[in-house]
Amino acid sequence: MQHPAFDKNLYIARRKALAASLGKDGVAVIPTASEQPRNRDSDFLFRHDSYFYYLTGFTEPNACLVLFGNGESTLFCQPKDLEREIWDGYRLGPDSAVAQLGLTQAHSIHDIDKLLPVSLENAGVLWYPFSTHQGLTQQIEGWLKTVQSKARSGISAPQQLRDVCVLLDEMRLIKDSNEIALMRTAAQISAKGHIRAMQFCASSLQDKFALREYHLDAELLYEFRRQGSEYTAYSSIVASGANACVLHYRADKAPIKDGDLVLIDAGCEFASYAGDITRTFPANGRFTKSQRAVYDVVLESQYAAVSATRSGALFTDPHQAALKVLAKGLLDLGILDRSEHGGVEDVIEHKHYFPYFMHRTSHWLGMDVHDCGAYTEPVGTGEKRPLSPRILKPGMVLTIEPGLYIRPAPDVPEEFHNIGIRIEDDALVTSGECELFSRDVPVDPLEIEQLMA
Ligand code: GLY
Ligand code: MN
Ligand code: MN
């Protein structure tokens, strides 16, 4: 079923814009995702393909969009089938799809091998997503073979195969006002989940409840679903104590103890758009002196990165701004030794910070948590133009997520051992200061303590 926010005109406009880039004799074939078995006859929860959804707003599995350079569109989708609908749920069906989704025509997905090759007859360029759908290349080869077999009747097959993601990535990189509104909501719901988990954490410890990471995972999910989100945008990370130093940790079974820090990296998906927020907070609601010292460095680095996130800046500018603060912080805290590692410039140049901060500060955010879009672009003129980091433009959305992860080591003061802190917000580039979608959950340590009191 379409999301309540569904507006077919939005998708018609996107298809029109893409069609204009396909060339007059171009045809694009864009399938949705395939269902994935989990075990025996149970599948993972189905999630549509983001490119397909961007152009259709259609969430059923077993569907494929064909878009023509002249703007016409055909959808292949599941046919109406009472017996299957009794087991698996409602299907829109081709007849209703045409009007509801604003397409030129629609057919049963069972007819795709018969009908799709006809769409490719005498087409010049066939566009499809490269390396994103297992088995698609073989299917395409089969369709091309069918067209080629008609060569003696004067019918030609496309001579050029091109990656349609190159066009779609550029479109998806700049969010329109509809997408921005949905992303704002996704972040606001995600923030509510974080607040709920933080407060539940402190009150559970007060009540002497034997709290574990998965309990906070449940609180996050409860709030996300309660607020109308369909899923989490990725598996939530709830990491207590030393687990925060494992970057891809998930919400597991470890106990959460008085005195621990807890790192939660969680975001909901709302109407197909992702929130992506990280907060690190003291389980009992009060930072220790050492925790607070590291927290303050990470927070200052995030503020610096936020200030650097503006139209006209490079994608890498927020990272460079964060690095400067983190490098100084590592020296000031005595985690890096000035006599051995030199000053801030040396620490950055020789990557002495790397054992404590080993990921980038930002990634694009959109329908996919690590959204599509090139991180570099060619500059200058001529044939072989060198690549430079992308210039930020209004409408781009990126995360800002510096961190410090301090594993025990003989040369690191013991008070900092096993402290892992990341602070992550979702930023919209505007013509002025960036807009942070996700600040309904505070980052200020005093505000966090107040929230948890
Ligand atoms: N939650 C995944 C990330 O922050 O990149
Ligand atoms: Mn992120
Ligand atoms: Mn994250």
Side-chain angles (χ1 to χ4, degrees):
M1 188 161 301
Q2 267 53 55
H3 192 271
F6 175 82
D7 170 7
K8 76 172 169 191
N9 293 315
L10 190 71
Y11 302 97
I12 292 172
R14 288 181 188 158
R15 289 198 294 270
K16 197 172 156 197
L18 176 62
S21 304
L22 298 179
K24 281 236 161 355
D25 60 354
V27 182
V29 174
I30 301 155
T32 195
S34 27
E35 292 174 292
Q36 299 295 332
R38 184 173 187 273
N39 55 12
R40 210 170 166 88
D41 59 354
S42 296
D43 287 342
F44 280 105
L45 187 63
F46 178 72
R47 165 56 157 79
H48 48 263
D49 174 78
S50 296
Y51 293 112
F52 174 84
Y53 182 85
Y54 182 74
L55 295 168
T56 60
F58 189 53
T59 53
E60 285 183 28
N62 300 312
C64 181
L65 173 72
V66 183
L67 184 67
F68 299 86
N70 66 4
E72 291 187 2
S73 53
T74 303
L75 182 76
F76 290 92
C77 64
Q78 301 180 121
K80 295 298 283 180
D81 179 336
L82 184 58
E83 196 193 335
R84 283 320 325 158
E85 291 184 54
I86 286 170
W87 286 92
D88 300 330
Y90 173 79
R91 292 175 171 190
L92 183 60
D95 291 345
S96 305
V98 173
Q100 276 224 22
L101 307 179
L103 303 153
T104 315
Q105 49 190 348
H107 304 289
S108 163
I109 189 75
H110 302 315
D111 293 333
I112 195 165
D113 289 330
K114 188 173 78 198
L115 298 179
L116 202 139
V118 180
S119 305
L120 302 181
E121 290 181 4
N122 301 320
V125 187
L126 170 56
W127 298 83
Y128 67 96
F130 286 9
S131 357
T132 53
H133 294 71
Q134 225 187 349
L136 180 61
T137 315
Q138 278 153 308
Q139 227 177 344
I140 292 214
E141 277 188 11
W143 296 331
L144 288 174
K145 247 193 200 131
T146 305
V147 188
Q148 282 158 353
S149 71
K150 296 183 181 171
R152 275 173 290 155
S153 321
I155 291 169
S156 67
Q159 293 300 298
Q160 261 196 68
L161 303 180
R162 298 188 64 181
D163 188 0
V164 74
C165 297
V166 173
L167 303 176
L168 283 167
D169 286 353
E170 284 301 298
M171 291 172 71
R172 283 177 54 188
L173 184 55
I174 307 289
K175 273 68 181 172
D176 60 36
S177 58
N178 176 281
E179 295 181 287
I180 289 168
L182 296 175
M183 293 194 73
R184 214 177 262 128
T185 305
Q188 286 165 349
I189 296 174
S190 303
K192 284 196 172 97
H194 276 263
I195 290 174
R196 184 183 178 92
M198 281 173 170
Q199 293 181 328
F200 181 83
C201 183
S203 68
S204 298
L205 287 193
Q206 253 168 26
D207 296 344
K208 307 284 178 216
F209 177 70
L211 188 66
R212 289 178 186 268
E213 293 162 335
Y214 54 71
H215 292 124
L216 300 190
D217 189 25
E219 295 301 312
L220 291 161
L221 189 59
Y222 175 81
E223 194 63 31
F224 293 171
R225 293 293 277 143
R226 208 166 76 90
Q227 300 287 342
S229 138
E230 297 88 345
Y231 335 92
T232 56
Y234 49 92
S235 302
S236 302
I237 296 171
V238 179
S240 74
N243 294 334
C245 296
V246 180
L247 295 181
H248 287 165
Y249 192 77
R250 49 180 289 270
D252 210 340
K253 305 173 199 63
I256 297 177
K257 301 185 299 292
D258 206 325
D260 279 348
L261 278 179
V262 181
L263 182 154
I264 293 185
D265 182 345
C268 76
E269 185 171 304
F270 179 77
S272 294
Y273 285 83
D276 184 8
I277 303 181
T278 307
R279 292 292 182 265
T280 312
F281 56 90
N284 62 13
R286 305 284 295 179
F287 285 96
T288 65
K289 202 164 146 276
S290 312
Q291 290 168 351
R292 178 66 194 271
V294 182
Y295 189 91
D296 286 347
V297 170
V298 177
L299 182 58
E300 199 194 327
S301 78
Q302 206 223 20
Y303 284 144
V306 168
S307 301
T309 303
R310 47 181 60 250
S311 180
L314 298 179
F315 173 80
T316 45
D317 285 348
H319 182 64
Q320 293 304 326
L323 271 186
K324 268 190 202 148
V325 178
L326 293 174
K328 178 171 181 304
L330 287 167
L331 292 165
D332 290 347
L333 293 171
I335 295 169
L336 293 178
D337 184 348
R338 275 201 167 76
S339 63
E340 191 185 335
H341 298 105
V344 168
E345 281 76 28
D346 303 285
V347 169
I348 292 175
E349 190 189 335
H350 301 290
K351 286 190 140 192
H352 296 310
Y353 62 83
F354 197 77
Y356 312 102
F357 179 48
M358 58 299 273
H359 59 78
R360 291 204 293 183
T361 300
S362 303
H363 56 79
W364 304 129
L365 182 70
M367 280 186 281
D368 299 324
V369 63
H370 296 162
D371 208 35
C372 60
Y375 286 96
T376 54
E377 60 189 328
V379 287
T381 49
E383 223 164 67
K384 273 230 156 212
R385 295 190 294 161
L387 293 176
S388 159
R390 193 100 206 189
I391 295 169
L392 298 179
K393 287 201 185 111
M396 293 178 172
V397 179
L398 64 158
T399 63
I400 306 178
E401 48 178 310
L404 284 177
Y405 313 92
I406 308 168
R407 288 171 174 272
D411 50 348
V412 171
E414 206 175 325
E415 59 176 314
F416 301 125
H417 285 189
N418 292 320
I419 290 181
I421 292 172
R422 177 165 65 255
I423 304 171
E424 174 175 30
D425 281 289
D426 305 341
L428 168 71
V429 181
T430 73
S431 54
E433 287 183 3
C434 67
E435 177 188 335
L436 296 177
F437 291 151
S438 45
R439 277 293 174 81
D440 286 359
V441 52
V443 291
D444 181 276
L446 296 178
E447 284 179 51
I448 288 176
E449 289 185 343
Q450 228 169 31
L451 188 80
M452 296 180 70

